[in-house]
Amino acid sequence: MGTRPNLNDPAADTTTQAVARALADELDRALETADADRYDSWFAADVLWGKPFGALVVGHDQINAIHRQMMRMTKPVAPASPEAPAPGCRHLGRMIGMVDTFGSVESATTADVEALAAVLAEAFTDDPVMGWLVPKASRRPAALRAFFDFQARHHALHFDASLLARIEGQVVAAALVLPPGSWKTPFDQQARHGAGFTAIFRTRLPHALRLQTEMDRRHPREPHYYLPCIGTLTAFQGLGTGGRILRRFTSRCDGEQQPAYLEATNPDNARLYRRHGFETIGFLDVADCPPLERMWRQPTGPQ
């Protein structure tokens, strides 16, 4: 990759621009020829130049396998014409195009319960609220899988509203969605499955019940779609898959002119939701549980 100049040094501006163009051109050529190894080696070398942040290239084999899979599904494109956008723009456009054609968003069904629960369990393994509810990290994945299995199987998938994303048949992202008037789990279901909740949360069951009670108390009463959870497998995060599910969800809300509600369990998620039209309406604090950000979205379009 050669020596990298200081990007903040005005005297090195010409060299800086040349280096940036060279990197963008190499990434473009890799995409033009669907060469994942070339793409990842140049990107990894560029990250390594920025040490101490070079630790970001740990896991190269995993992301390289994903890029190989993506590029197998993407035909090589013709070299850019003289009138084409600048290299960086071409590169960004191709990456966006690859994500847009990579996989599908569809309705979730009862046949998807196990895969859906596995995706959400992995996505929420490091979530601060779930960590508070299931403090022991070694049992958290199994506990969360059981929890999301229950939520999907016994409530959410009774309605045709939940969504998932597949890539080559594999479920890689999912969202549980409850239509207007159905956000609250019926008491008889809660009572019938009390033993299951005890097995999931064990000594933290009182904490879970207290949190759920407060969530129910603060939940909006006017008709709306409720999005209790959305998540993406770790290896597929950052590809826009969760955003595609959110766009499908908000399009439905807008088409039916229905508002939407959710509780964000960390600031990063809240920022994503804001990009899709949600606004913060308050926070939910229970004991020493990490705060939940209550968010509401008004529908857009014709009234």
Side-chain angles (χ1 to χ4, degrees):
M1 293 289 292
T3 302
R4 288 287 190 270
N6 185 334
L7 300 182
N8 294 319
D9 182 4
D13 184 65
T14 301
T15 305
T16 299
Q17 294 298 322
V19 168
R21 283 196 299 271
L23 173 62
D25 283 342
E26 284 299 327
L27 295 176
D28 270 331
R29 291 189 192 102
L31 289 172
E32 288 167 358
T33 57
D35 188 341
D37 293 341
R38 184 177 188 177
Y39 180 90
D40 289 333
S41 65
W42 271 82
F43 184 75
D46 192 64
V47 172
L48 279 171
W49 162 67
K51 287 181 179 179
F53 303 107
L56 291 172
V57 299
V58 172
H60 170 274
D61 291 345
Q62 184 181 38
I63 195 66
N64 180 245
I66 294 170
H67 285 167
R68 285 188 178 193
Q69 186 182 41
M70 291 173 68
M71 292 186 189
R72 280 200 302 270
M73 299 174 66
T74 307
K75 295 181 179 179
V77 299
S81 68
E83 292 78 22
C89 296
R90 295 201 309 270
H91 165 67
L92 178 61
R94 287 184 186 127
M95 288 302 291
I96 292 173
M98 228 174 0
V99 171
D100 283 346
T101 59
F102 191 49
S104 61
V105 176
E106 58 196 68
S107 296
T109 71
T110 53
D112 303 308
V113 168
E114 292 184 3
L116 186 151
V119 166
L120 292 174
E122 179 177 318
F124 279 85
T125 295
D126 296 322
D127 179 81
V129 174
M130 290 302 182
W132 179 77
L133 288 170
V134 187
K136 192 172 183 179
S138 61
R139 64 173 299 269
R140 193 178 304 142
L144 294 186
R145 188 184 293 243
F147 173 73
F148 288 118
D149 186 291
F150 171 85
Q151 295 291 337
R153 188 184 305 274
H154 298 292
H155 191 43
L157 294 186
H158 291 186
F159 311 96
D160 183 24
S162 295
L163 299 166
L164 55 78
R166 296 183 194 274
I167 293 178
E168 291 193 337
Q170 178 187 0
V171 178
V172 300
L176 297 185
V177 179
L178 296 168
S182 60
W183 61 268
K184 187 173 176 61
T185 304
F187 179 77
D188 61 333
Q189 283 193 23
Q190 297 183 40
R192 188 162 59 247
H193 298 283
F197 278 114
T198 301
I200 292 170
F201 295 112
R202 297 186 180 179
T203 59
R204 302 290 288 186
L205 181 62
H207 297 71
L209 293 176
R210 182 176 177 183
L211 176 60
Q212 187 62 58
T213 298
E214 187 62 16
M215 290 171 66
D216 290 351
R217 190 181 72 82
R218 302 284 299 279
H219 200 108
R221 264 43 185 182
E222 66 180 276
H224 63 276
Y225 273 94
Y226 178 42
L227 182 66
C229 54
I230 177 173
T232 303
L233 290 177
T234 304
F236 293 89
Q237 292 175 5
L239 299 179
T241 310
R244 294 179 68 197
I245 290 180
L246 279 170
R247 285 193 293 275
R248 175 73 69 85
F249 170 67
T250 55
S251 292
R252 183 172 191 171
C253 294
D254 292 341
E256 299 179 18
Q257 285 296 287
Q258 290 285 349
Y261 176 73
L262 59 81
E263 297 103 351
T265 54
N266 68 66
D268 288 338
N269 290 348
R271 281 190 288 271
L272 172 64
Y273 301 142
R274 287 192 194 96
R275 292 201 295 271
H276 290 268
F278 284 87
E279 297 180 351
T280 300
I281 59 173
F283 289 84
L284 196 154
D285 296 293
V286 176
D288 58 345
C289 175
L292 283 74
E293 194 164 342
R294 303 172 59 243
M295 306 189 76
W296 183 261
R297 180 185 186 275
Q298 286 294 128
T300 62
Q303 300 297 316

